[in-house]
């Protein structure tokens, strides 16, 4: 299938885990009814994005949240990237995305590789590494929609990661994220667009809706960008579902007309781990 519809669930997130899961399921069902073959949720969608919450809400797989996601993916016969949640494993906590197929089976898991440790004077301060452990995997999975890569939020700051995904064959990269009100206005759109242009992929970036009363305020503005860097769809700040068509024939056309990936000077520079 070279053309399909994606739905981004830009949902509000509260401190009520059960309500967040219920809301996510309802919006996933709506997206599927409206023809989405692939649905993407935002980063940390089942609890507040706050270090104090990660260990409290963390689940081992399969937990309450992941079971609900498996069920709705199967019921709706869609591919579902269930944003990310705090995952408990071997005494550690990860920021983890689970990716399910149309049968509700887990087909990929991405643990956020680059942890969000920043301290911007007069702006945002956050240190994920106080609680979370970084992942190690470059995550790309084959589907009947195409070859799909996965990153999480701060991963986008590292072009090497996205180059690796494209070299591994990714045509579409999914990015659950939660940029904030300091970094969002400055870098959100340009980062998503440049990763699409650099690697000639579709970028699907999913963020939570904005809540000014939250301890961490999401910039929101979920978006879909094509391999030419054109923003195909962009949400505002409110809760809702953003839709866009993904046309991988256009991707093939872009790569043929402007063959960046073929022009890589692998004789002069390389990512050793991909050799």
């Amino acid at each position: 299938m070279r053309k399909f519809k994606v739905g981004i669930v830009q949902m509000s997130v509260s401190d009520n885990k059960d309500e967040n899961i219920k809301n996510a399921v309802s919006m996933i069902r709506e997206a599927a009814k409206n023809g989405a073959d692939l649905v993407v949720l935002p980063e940390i969608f089942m609890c507040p994005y706050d270090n104090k919450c990660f260990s409290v809400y963390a689940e081992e797989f399969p937990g309450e949240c992941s079971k609900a996601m498996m069920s709705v993916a199967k019921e709706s016969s869609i591919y579902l990237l269930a944003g990310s949640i705090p995952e408990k494993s071997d005494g550690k906590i990860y920021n983890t995305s689970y990716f399910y197929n149309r049968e509700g089976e887990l087909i990929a898991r991405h643990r956020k590789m680059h942890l969000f440790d920043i301290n911007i004077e007069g702006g945002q301060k956050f240190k994920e590494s106080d609680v979370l452990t970084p992942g190690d995997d470059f995550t790309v999975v084959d589907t009947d929609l195409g070859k799909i890569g996965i990153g999480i939020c701060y991963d986008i700051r590292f072009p090497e990661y996205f180059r690796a995904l494209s070299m591994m064959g990714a045509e579409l990269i999914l990015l659950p994220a939660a940029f904030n009100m300091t970094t969002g206005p400055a870098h959100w759109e340009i980062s998503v667009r440049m990763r699409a242009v650099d690697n000639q992929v579709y970028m699907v970036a999913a963020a939570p809706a904005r809540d000014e009363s939250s301890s961490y305020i999401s910039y929101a503005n979920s978006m879909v960008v094509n391999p030419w860097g054109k923003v195909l769809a962009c949400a505002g700040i409110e809760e809702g579902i953003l839709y866009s068509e993904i046309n991988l024939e256009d991707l093939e056309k872009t790569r043929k007309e402007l063959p960046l990936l073929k022009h890589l000077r692998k004789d002069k520079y390389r990512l050793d781990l991909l050799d």
Side-chain angles (χ1 to χ4, degrees):
M1 183 183 296
R2 304 308 284 170
K3 296 181 184 179
F4 60 91
K5 190 174 184 178
V6 62
I8 297 177
V9 172
Q10 182 167 285
M11 58 179 281
S12 298
V13 178
S14 72
D15 60 3
N16 187 316
K17 177 180 175 179
D18 291 340
E19 286 301 315
N20 291 330
I21 295 172
K22 182 179 178 181
N23 188 28
V25 168
S26 176
M27 296 180 77
I28 291 165
R29 285 175 175 151
E30 181 181 345
K33 284 182 181 178
N34 287 328
D37 293 290
L38 167 65
V39 179
V40 184
L41 301 184
E43 181 182 24
I44 307 293
F45 72 92
M46 59 84 141
C47 73
Y49 185 80
D50 190 315
N51 274 342
K52 296 191 297 289
C53 297
F54 294 153
S55 58
V56 175
Y57 289 80
E59 293 186 355
E60 294 184 351
F61 183 86
E64 175 189 357
C65 185
S66 53
K67 288 177 181 176
M69 296 300 108
M70 291 178 191
S71 178
V72 71
K74 182 177 181 178
E75 165 199 323
S76 304
S77 190
I78 56 166
Y79 284 93
L80 172 63
L81 185 73
S84 76
I85 67 170
E87 176 204 23
K88 191 185 305 178
S89 179
D90 297 325
K92 299 176 182 178
I93 300 175
Y94 300 90
N95 184 342
T96 301
S97 289
Y98 297 122
F99 191 33
Y100 305 103
N101 66 13
R102 300 182 193 277
E103 288 73 46
E105 300 165 335
L106 181 69
I107 55 173
R109 178 188 66 190
H110 178 67
R111 290 170 171 169
K112 191 174 188 176
M113 183 181 288
H114 305 91
L115 296 185
F116 185 57
D117 287 5
I118 67 162
N119 187 0
I120 299 173
E121 186 176 352
Q124 187 70 46
K125 179 179 180 180
F126 207 96
K127 193 175 181 184
E128 279 189 325
S129 64
D130 282 345
V131 179
L132 301 178
T133 298
D136 295 318
D137 297 328
F138 292 79
T139 309
V140 177
V141 61
D142 277 310
T143 75
D144 59 23
L145 301 178
K147 204 157 188 176
I148 297 176
I150 304 169
I152 300 176
C153 199
Y154 196 55
D155 285 337
I156 202 171
R157 298 281 187 176
F158 302 89
E160 297 85 354
Y161 178 74
F162 285 79
R163 175 67 84 205
L165 298 189
S166 71
M167 291 174 67
M168 292 167 70
E171 300 168 294
L172 165 70
I173 298 177
L174 310 180
L175 185 82
F179 269 51
N180 56 68
M181 296 304 295
T182 300
T183 61
H187 302 144
W188 172 244
E189 181 177 326
I190 193 171
S191 296
V192 177
R193 293 180 70 189
M194 282 312 304
R195 293 297 83 78
V197 171
D198 287 346
N199 300 293
Q200 299 187 310
V201 295
Y202 278 89
M203 288 291 301
V204 175
R210 190 176 303 174
D211 178 0
E212 299 285 351
S213 67
S214 176
S215 61
Y216 181 96
I217 303 173
S218 168
Y219 180 61
N221 287 278
S222 299
M223 64 174 55
V224 179
V225 179
N226 75 7
W228 194 254
K230 180 181 179 181
V231 178
L232 300 181
C234 185
I237 65 173
E238 305 294 336
E239 181 173 79
I241 304 172
L242 181 70
Y243 298 97
S244 183
E245 181 182 77
I246 303 297
N247 184 346
L248 297 182
E249 292 175 359
D250 281 352
L251 178 143
E252 293 166 2
K253 181 174 182 290
T254 298
R255 289 183 174 183
K256 182 178 180 180
E257 293 175 344
L258 187 65
L260 301 183
L261 301 179
K262 287 184 179 180
H263 291 163
L264 285 171
R265 288 294 305 271
K266 296 178 184 177
D267 59 323
K268 297 297 182 183
Y269 47 81
R270 68 180 187 268
L271 294 174
D272 288 341
L273 59 89
L274 295 180
D275 287 349

